[in-house]
Amino acid sequence: EIVMTQSPATLSVSPGERATLSCRASQSVNTNLAWYQQRPGQAPRLVIYGASTRATGIPARFSGSGSGTEFTLTISRLRSEDFAVYYCQQYNNWPPLTFGGGTKVEIQ
Amino acid sequence: DVQVVESGGDLAQPGGSLRLSCEASGFSFRLYEMHWVRQAPGRGLEWVSSIGGDGGTLYYADSVRGRFTISRENARNSLYLQMTSLRAEDTAVYYCASVSGYADAFDIWGQGTVVTISS
């Protein structure tokens, strides 16, 4: 099983600033890595797939990078609606499909 | 619009059973692999089970194998999760999810159905 580790667990950022979230895989997942946003009380929403491709309707301030075992989600110029929990997920080698533990982006 | 709607969540006792349903619309259901993902209260996302478009390929998380059964009825655009021998740790919101042709990760999610296991 591929273990996904996200850091930090909580990220405090001011609106308008940049947030950088990290995700590490226990073995290479190539670029088969997705990021999801989950707001309180809502279902997850796909943000990035293929490590760097924005999903439909996702604004350009969201960007993903990385390959192999190290990945980054960057949110530039944070807006109020971006404060949420973000999960990474690998789909390179499954079952099982595995998610990271999440990073909560909160208002500083 | 592409949509999946879960139902069937309820309060059940440890050792009991529940059957979850997920009804799909707006896409060619029979062509898509379908998945169940759950989220325990205050916790992260956990993949539970997957089924191929024709129902012939089934996968389960170790935590549910032997207790849960995934199935589908393509004529009804419906996905199911039969849950037996329920445990307190099965308490979670259960989401139905899939991958559309526009992405290769879960871009279709339902709103979830709540399962609570307690005596």
Side-chain angles (χ1 to χ4, degrees), chain B residues 8 11 13 31 36 74 78 85 87 93 110:
Chain B
L11 171 64
Q13 292 193 338
L31 299 179
W36 289 100
N74 286 344
S78 292
S85 302
R87 305 167 180 169
V93 177

Side-chain angles (χ1 to χ4, degrees), chain A residues 6-30:
Chain A
Q6 291 186 242
S7 61
T10 303
L11 187 60
S12 298
V13 187
S14 299
E17 294 189 344
R18 174 189 298 254
T20 303
L21 290 66
S22 296
C23 175
R24 173 177 293 177
S26 60
Q27 63 188 77
S28 176
V29 298
N30 297 302

Side-chain angles (χ1 to χ4, degrees), chain A residues 57-94:
Chain A
I58 300 300
R61 65 181 181 273
F62 289 86
S63 63
S65 64
S67 66
T69 62
E70 301 283 343
F71 300 89
T72 300
L73 174 68
T74 301
I75 314 169
S76 62
R77 300 182 301 280
L78 274 158
R79 298 181 58 153
S80 58
E81 61 264 34
D82 301 334
F83 292 95
V85 179
Y86 292 83
Y87 296 94
C88 62
Q89 178 224 346
Q90 70 81 21
Y91 49 96
N92 186 69
N93 189 353
W94 70 282

Side-chain angles (χ1 to χ4, degrees), chain A residues 36 38 43-44 46 49 87 91 95, chain B residues 39 59 95 102 104 106 109-110:
Chain A
Y36 300 89
Q38 188 177 34
L46 180 65
Y49 64 94
Y87 296 94
Y91 49 96
Chain B
Q39 187 171 36
Y59 296 118
Y95 295 102
Y102 298 101
D104 58 2
F106 294 147
W109 293 80

Side-chain angles (χ1 to χ4, degrees), chain A residues 1 32 34 36 38 41-46 48-50 55-56 87 89 91 94-101, chain B residues 33 35 37 39 43-47 50 59-62 65 95 102-112:
Chain A
E1 172 177 332
N32 295 309
Y36 300 89
Q38 188 177 34
Q42 295 188 14
R45 174 194 184 195
L46 180 65
I48 297 285
Y49 64 94
T56 302
Y87 296 94
Q89 178 224 346
Y91 49 96
W94 70 282
L97 290 163
T98 49
F99 293 88
Chain B
E33 190 170 64
H35 306 258
V37 176
Q39 187 171 36
R43 307 293 296 273
L45 300 169
E46 179 189 17
W47 170 79
S50 301
Y59 296 118
Y60 298 96
D62 288 346
R65 186 177 293 111
Y95 295 102
Y102 298 101
D104 58 2
F106 294 147
D107 59 343
I108 302 173
W109 293 80
Q111 85 290 347

